[in-house]
Amino acid sequence: MLINKETFKQDFRKKLINMYAEDIEESSNSHKYFALASLIRDYASENWLKTNKKYTNNKEKQIYYFSMEFLIGRLLHSNLLNLGIMDICNEALTELNIDLDEIEEVENDAGLGNGGLGRLAACFLDSMASLGIAGHGNGIRYTYGLFEQQIIDGYQVEVSDNWLKKGNMWEVRKENKAVQIHFGGNVTTTMENGRLKFLEHDCETILAVPYDTPIIGYDNSTVNTLRLWSAEPLNKDFDFASFSRGEYSKATEYKALIESISQVLYPDDSRQEGKILRLKQQYFFVSAGLQSILRRYKKLKEPINNFHKYIAIHINDTHPSLAVAELMRLLIDEENLTWEDAWYITTNTIAYTNHTIMSEALEKWPIDMFKRLLPRIYMIVEEINRRLVNEVREKFKDENKVTAMSIIGNGQIRMAHLAIVGSHSVNGVAKLHTELLKYQELKNFNDFYPNKFNNKTNGITHRRWLLQANPKLSNLITESIGDHWIKEPDKLIELKPFSLDTSFREKFDKIKLENKIAFSNYAKATYGMDIDPNSIFDVQVKRLHAYKRQLLNLFNIMDLYRRLKENPNLDIIPRTFFFGAKAAPSYYLAKKNIKLINTVAYKINNDPQINGKIKVFFLPNYSVSLAEKIIPCAQVSEQISTATKEASGTGNMKLMMNGALTLATLDGANIEIRDAVGDGNIVIFGITKEQVLDYTKNHSYNSYEYYNNDFRIKLILDSLLNSSLGVSPNEFSDIHNSLLKNNDEYFVLRDFASYVEAQNKIDSLYRNRDNWSKSCIINVANSGIFSSDNTIKQYYEEIWK
Ligand code: 26W
């Protein structure tokens, strides 16, 4: 594809005219954005077609990443970068007097995910395409993404995210590839050619319509596909007959009921709710995805028994684990395979990643709900379970294990067990997490299937999180070591010697400061915040959850505030603490935490005695595009979850890659970050996994001890109940209770002293600016191993083969 500045200008002009009959001069930013996006899609479409043809002609193995969430964010910038036309576009637009940054702000985030799990799926798509791997996404085209968060009077208020309102230039509706999905009804059996056949009757049938988005590889010609399904009634046409009969409202009601399946993303990322609509969503996109994969496979004219040699399906947590039973159904009922053959193919096709060991997040469905909605699928799950139970009984001769490992138990279907049994690979997302799965949470299964469990430490795409988010640092890196790090992120290690180079360090520090100034200006314009760009930027951005311990961070701030009040001359480096976090709308305590952060922020930021030495800001509506703004200017990365609770974390990787120093517990991938950068370039605190497991086993933790013996803790907790924060004394009593009466499940009080010490260490480290910069550079240099390119290579070689 030959594009130069002049052809680009022409093409862009033409686009504006074709789409809006407008000249550049009179067009709005919104029209400019849509014209530009449309143009870029045009540029990519030839390769999209070619990639698909190549995959079919070469019969390449196709990988399908099944995920309920794809948190991809914006696509304009990354598509320009990956197509290699960023510079041309920038120069052309500049000559046309158009500011690309402004145009980019028009695009709504595709916020089709809650947090880590959904963002991981997006990073994986980018890496698969950029490595030229035939890997595609399969998910749901939610009409509403994750809610937009507003902060009103310190409280979180959720506003629906109508991200498609203005239109979505990246997607293509493929009506001709729609498939039918059946819910409910009854199953009967007949004999056909000496075999039992299962027939479904009286089902409700709906249509799944795919919308395809091109996933453009970096500087290669690969364009993969993200296929998202939308639910529609079978008969979409306006039913004039029912309208004449006066039944119009009934007909629209029915339409709305069906469309509700792909209407909205569930905003809960930590607790399973057991809502039937969510189960419908899961079956909907799993069945649609499998049917479309099967249809494509048949075009290869390969025998069905070779399916697993040409297809790999990866399920992102248990949300798509119905794929196990649905693939069995398709192979047995539609393709007439025997149970044994179907099982061989299914288990050799599917692989499963676990993303959490928090028991409240493990999906379980009530049998009666499941059976009513998916009667045939339930029969298959029962049969899978019958066979599993027999084998476990045979191997372990232990009824307790049989009960514990069963897929069906306590009136529920345990989706994690279904996923484990139906896959050839089960992986955790960081070393510690995988160890906990193998030797604690899923020990029985690991004993039963000794070779199934493996680790794949998470990763992030360095193209979005460094090249795109931090162009200045990227340029400095390229000037210093060349640009091969973009294709081979491990090459970032060549930056290491530069940590000793004074002139490099100066440039590095200057870029950090410029990023901080740019963000401060943005925050002033957007939120009216007064930020001191010369203060240390201390950042905790992630979902709000008790185990992530935003409270611990806040308690240190409250203690620091007290010390400053007692001694206004206290010698500290000015610090700005940033929080960004959405709470699940139904997560009461998490929302209280947001109110508390905002209450403390208000008090401190408006206290003239503090004189700006510390400031606290809650950045509303943390999202992919906000992450791209705050991460490049962060200097301290808060990764302070209770050991054993954070499966991996990926924000930790994004922040180190942008030269922040990590302040962390030994949890998730923090451990691997420490191993990479060395103890001298990270600040570790807090109790270890062994201590946590010990406390839990012996019930030996008593949070009152810490309240009674540490006056600082006492002052902080008491202030939650008295009037010193300037709110009603009941406002935070439930937080207080969670820490004392309910014995502080996540050891906030236990780790408080150690955390304060670690924070003081940060302050003292920062005073030696040469060493600080050195450490930051060493962090960037070692971040390449956390590129999702590396993670994907491991999935590809060890799981998808
Ligand atoms: C059923 C409700 C529900 C929905 C989503 C429960 C749990 C989830 C996810 C498993 C939560 C999640 O996003 N987990 C995160 O996955 C990241 C990617 O692997 C990890 O880096 C995070 O540590 C983990 O919390």
Side-chain angles (χ1 to χ4, degrees):
M1 188 179 48
L2 278 173
I3 305 165
N4 61 43
K5 195 174 67 187
E6 291 311 317
T7 58
F8 190 92
K9 282 202 258 183
Q10 276 169 22
D11 291 349
F12 180 64
R13 271 215 181 87
K14 241 188 266 161
K15 258 291 164 199
L16 266 176
I17 296 173
N18 289 345
M19 287 173 70
Y20 303 107
E22 277 176 358
D23 279 336
I24 291 173
E25 293 69 32
E26 57 177 323
S27 73
S28 63
N29 276 350
S30 172
H31 283 183
K32 287 189 188 107
Y33 162 75
F34 281 103
L36 192 55
S38 170
L39 184 59
I40 289 160
R41 212 187 74 194
D42 291 352
Y43 290 156
S45 46
E46 186 107 346
N47 278 336
W48 201 4
L49 178 68
K50 275 193 195 151
T51 302
N52 277 327
K53 285 216 168 120
K54 185 190 93 175
Y55 288 160
T56 310
N57 293 340
N58 302 349
K59 297 194 175 180
E60 267 178 63
K61 188 167 187 178
Q62 302 292 298
I63 294 138
Y64 296 95
Y65 201 77
F66 275 35
S67 178
M68 268 198 117
E69 307 189 5
F70 288 93
L71 188 45
I72 45 193
R74 291 173 173 158
L75 283 176
L76 179 60
H77 196 110
S78 60
N79 282 346
L80 283 168
L81 271 178
N82 288 6
L83 284 173
I85 54 172
M86 179 56 89
D87 290 343
I88 290 171
C89 172
N90 241 323
E91 286 164 25
L93 293 186
T94 309
E95 288 182 17
L96 297 171
N97 246 326
I98 298 170
D99 182 349
L100 181 58
D101 291 346
E102 260 177 43
I103 305 296
E104 284 176 14
E105 288 296 315
V106 173
E107 182 170 0
N108 283 328
D109 272 38
L112 308 185
N114 271 288
L117 163 137
R119 183 54 232 174
L120 187 74
C123 284
F124 280 5
L125 291 181
D126 182 77
S127 283
M128 289 192 289
S130 295
L131 293 169
I133 291 175
H136 315 279
N138 183 66
I140 299 175
R141 179 180 180 270
Y142 300 106
T143 310
Y144 295 92
L146 185 64
F147 65 88
E148 183 201 318
Q149 177 193 55
Q150 292 182 1
I151 300 297
I152 296 179
D153 191 24
Y155 296 101
Q156 167 173 298
V157 173
E158 300 96 23
V159 178
S160 65
D161 168 43
N162 193 357
W163 71 293
L164 292 167
K165 192 163 73 188
K166 293 188 279 187
N168 175 6
M169 228 359 115
W170 307 118
E171 65 183 11
V172 188
R173 180 182 165 92
K174 294 268 168 81
E175 204 155 340
N176 58 333
K177 299 206 168 149
V179 298
Q180 296 189 2
I181 313 290
H182 307 291
F183 289 112
N186 304 301
V187 182
T188 56
T189 51
T190 58
M191 285 305 273
E192 209 180 276
N193 303 329
R195 276 192 55 192
L196 206 53
K197 276 290 273 183
F198 294 86
L199 301 169
E200 298 177 78
H201 305 276
D202 307 314
C203 307
E204 179 184 36
T205 301
I206 70 163
L207 207 59
V209 182
Y211 285 73
D212 288 354
T213 298
I215 304 295
I216 302 168
Y218 180 82
D219 190 29
N220 59 14
S221 42
T222 300
V223 181
N224 290 333
T225 302
L226 168 60
R227 172 160 284 183
L228 300 178
W229 298 91
S230 182
E232 295 183 9
L234 261 191
N235 187 352
K236 283 182 297 291
D237 293 330
F238 173 68
D239 182 355
F240 198 79
S242 72
F243 179 67
S244 322
R245 288 196 303 273
E247 289 169 5
Y248 183 59
S249 73
K250 236 195 213 158
T252 47
E253 245 170 59
Y254 178 70
K255 183 167 175 278
L257 191 71
I258 285 168
E259 288 171 354
S260 71
I261 293 174
S262 53
Q263 195 75 359
V264 58
L265 166 79
Y266 274 93
D268 220 299
D269 77 329
S270 48
R271 268 181 297 196
Q272 112 107 8
E273 276 203 275
K275 290 259 159 64
I276 189 155
L277 183 60
R278 186 168 162 98
L279 184 59
K280 274 191 184 173
Q281 290 185 332
Q282 296 185 345
Y283 183 67
F284 168 76
F285 91 97
V286 160
S287 176
L290 288 174
Q291 289 184 57
S292 94
I293 290 168
L294 211 57
R295 189 170 51 195
R296 178 189 171 278
Y297 180 72
K298 287 184 175 169
K299 290 197 191 136
L300 300 181
K301 303 275 176 236
E302 281 290 318
I304 192 75
N305 287 77
N306 284 344
F307 188 79
H308 58 284
K309 294 183 184 155
Y310 293 91
I311 306 287
I313 293 173
H314 206 93
I315 58 178
N316 200 18
D317 215 90
T318 58
H319 319 154
S321 56
L322 286 171
V324 173
E326 175 67 0
L327 185 52
M328 287 297 285
R329 184 188 72 80
L330 290 166
L331 294 175
I332 295 170
D333 296 0
E334 315 262 321
E335 303 300 323
N336 298 311
L337 291 188
T338 62
W339 180 278
E340 286 72 20
D341 284 354
W343 187 244
Y344 182 82
I345 294 169
T346 298
T347 50
N348 279 288
T349 301
I350 296 178
Y352 154 60
T353 299
N354 174 292
H355 294 266
T356 184
I357 54 171
M358 305 268 295
S359 55
E360 63 269 34
L362 293 182
E363 290 194 298
K364 297 180 183 105
W365 296 104
I367 292 176
D368 34 320
M369 176 200 285
F370 192 102
K371 208 167 165 176
R372 224 177 308 125
L373 187 70
L374 306 166
R376 177 63 183 132
I377 295 298
Y378 181 70
M379 293 170 84
I380 291 168
V381 172
E382 268 190 320
E383 179 60 16
I384 295 171
N385 191 46
R386 192 183 66 79
R387 291 171 186 241
L388 168 75
V389 161
N390 284 344
E391 285 173 35
V392 171
R393 190 167 282 134
E394 173 94 353
K395 180 158 178 172
F396 288 147
K397 307 197 167 32
D398 177 343
E399 281 310 303
N400 289 331
K401 286 195 178 162
V402 171
T403 312
M405 293 172 70
S406 177
I407 299 171
I408 303 176
N410 283 335
Q412 289 176 315
I413 303 173
R414 302 163 181 159
M415 302 310 272
H417 295 196
L418 177 62
I420 296 165
V421 175
S423 328
H424 61 90
S425 164
V426 177
N427 74 281
V429 291
K431 279 183 196 157
L432 172 65
H433 172 57
T434 301
E435 293 300 296
L436 289 167
L437 291 179
K438 284 171 77 168
Y439 305 115
Q440 307 261 344
E441 305 303 313
L442 300 175
K443 183 177 182 309
N444 286 338
F445 283 104
N446 185 46
D447 292 342
F448 190 66
Y449 301 114
N451 298 317
K452 225 184 237 201
F453 287 74
N454 62 90
N455 177 247
K456 295 286 168 284
T457 299
N458 280 164
I460 55 167
T461 166
H462 61 289
R463 283 169 294 273
R464 181 174 290 260
W465 296 108
L466 181 52
L467 188 61
Q468 168 174 339
N470 202 339
K472 288 182 175 166
L473 181 55
S474 300
N475 287 338
L476 176 63
I477 295 171
T478 297
E479 271 167 35
S480 313
I481 62 168
D483 66 1
H484 50 331
W485 63 274
I486 303 172
K487 291 216 167 184
E488 297 164 79
D490 288 355
K491 292 268 157 64
L492 282 172
I493 199 67
E494 291 172 11
L495 277 177
K496 209 170 163 187
F498 287 88
S499 66
L500 303 172
D501 175 336
T502 325
S503 109
F504 182 91
R505 280 205 305 260
E506 271 168 19
K507 291 183 203 155
F508 182 90
D509 291 346
K510 187 163 163 269
I511 287 167
K512 184 61 85 177
L513 181 63
E514 285 168 0
N515 289 342
K516 287 161 69 181
I517 292 170
F519 184 79
S520 304
N521 293 337
Y522 169 81
K524 177 75 188 168
T526 316
Y527 316 109
M529 294 171 179
D530 282 307
I531 299 170
D532 172 9
N534 289 306
S535 61
I536 301 177
F537 279 27
D538 184 313
V539 176
Q540 186 170 22
V541 283
K542 48 183 80 254
R543 281 299 281 256
L544 212 142
H545 197 293
Y547 84 77
K548 295 178 189 278
R549 299 200 294 190
Q550 280 93 351
L551 260 191
L552 183 56
N553 186 348
L554 193 69
F555 285 180
N556 170 63
I557 296 170
M558 291 166 83
D559 185 59
L560 187 53
Y561 177 56
R562 176 192 56 80
R563 282 182 277 155
L564 275 168
K565 291 295 275 184
E566 282 171 13
N567 173 13
N569 294 323
L570 188 72
D571 180 22
I572 60 159
I573 311 269
R575 188 103 63 115
T576 305
F577 296 94
F578 293 98
F579 291 86
K582 287 181 181 176
S586 63
Y587 191 171
Y588 170 80
L589 267 184
K591 292 174 122 178
K592 279 288 178 196
N593 273 320
I594 292 178
K595 174 66 176 170
L596 181 58
I597 294 168
N598 282 310
T599 305
V600 170
Y602 185 82
K603 184 151 178 102
I604 293 177
N605 298 351
N606 292 297
D607 187 335
Q609 254 189 320
I610 294 305
N611 206 9
K613 268 192 173 168
I614 55 174
K615 281 207 168 183
V616 184
F617 293 107
F618 188 95
L619 302 170
N621 202 37
Y622 182 60
S623 55
V624 174
S625 51
L626 182 55
E628 289 166 14
K629 293 186 171 78
I630 184 73
I631 289 174
C633 56
Q635 295 175 287
V636 178
S637 161
E638 300 271 356
Q639 308 301 334
I640 61 179
S641 54
T642 314
T644 72
K645 299 295 178 195
E646 190 70 271
S648 160
T650 44
N652 47 4
M653 301 167 184
K654 294 164 197 164
L655 284 151
M656 82 176 289
M657 190 174 269
N658 281 275
L661 223 65
T662 311
L663 169 51
T665 49
L666 289 174
D667 198 18
N670 298 345
I671 296 172
E672 283 141 274
I673 292 178
R674 184 212 43 192
D675 293 346
V677 301
D679 281 311
N681 300 301
I682 188 169
V683 177
I684 298 289
F685 76 98
I687 55 175
T688 59
K689 136 197 156 204
E690 286 80 12
Q691 289 171 293
V692 171
L693 297 177
D694 232 59
Y695 274 128
T696 314
K697 194 170 136 213
N698 303 323
H699 304 285
S700 51
Y701 180 57
N702 178 3
S703 62
Y704 275 101
E705 274 174 36
Y706 296 86
Y707 175 78
N708 291 327
N709 295 325
D710 189 332
F711 76 99
R712 301 169 300 178
I713 293 179
K714 186 168 188 319
L715 285 173
I716 292 165
L717 290 196
D718 289 352
S719 77
L720 297 182
L721 297 184
N722 62 35
S723 58
S724 61
L725 290 171
V727 295
S728 123
N730 289 328
E731 184 71 57
F732 302 121
S733 55
D734 290 313
I735 295 181
H736 190 273
N737 284 339
S738 75
L739 295 169
L740 288 177
K741 283 198 193 119
N742 295 333
N743 204 27
D744 184 18
E745 189 179 352
Y746 298 106
F747 303 98
V748 174
L749 306 191
R750 172 67 180 82
D751 274 346
F752 175 78
S754 156
Y755 180 65
V756 172
E757 213 175 289
Q759 277 289 22
N760 292 341
K761 185 169 175 198
I762 293 275
D763 182 282
S764 68
L765 288 174
Y766 196 78
R767 288 164 197 263
N768 184 337
R769 296 307 305 278
D770 282 346
N771 276 338
W772 177 273
S773 306
K774 204 175 109 194
S775 282
C776 296
I777 295 162
I778 287 175
N779 269 272
V780 180
N782 282 288
S783 67
I785 55 170
F786 297 106
S787 165
S788 44
D789 287 8
N790 285 327
T791 315
I792 283 297
K793 279 184 195 158
Q794 289 168 23
Y795 274 88
Y796 189 72
E797 281 156 21
E798 295 162 24
I799 300 179
W800 304 327
K801 307 197 174 81

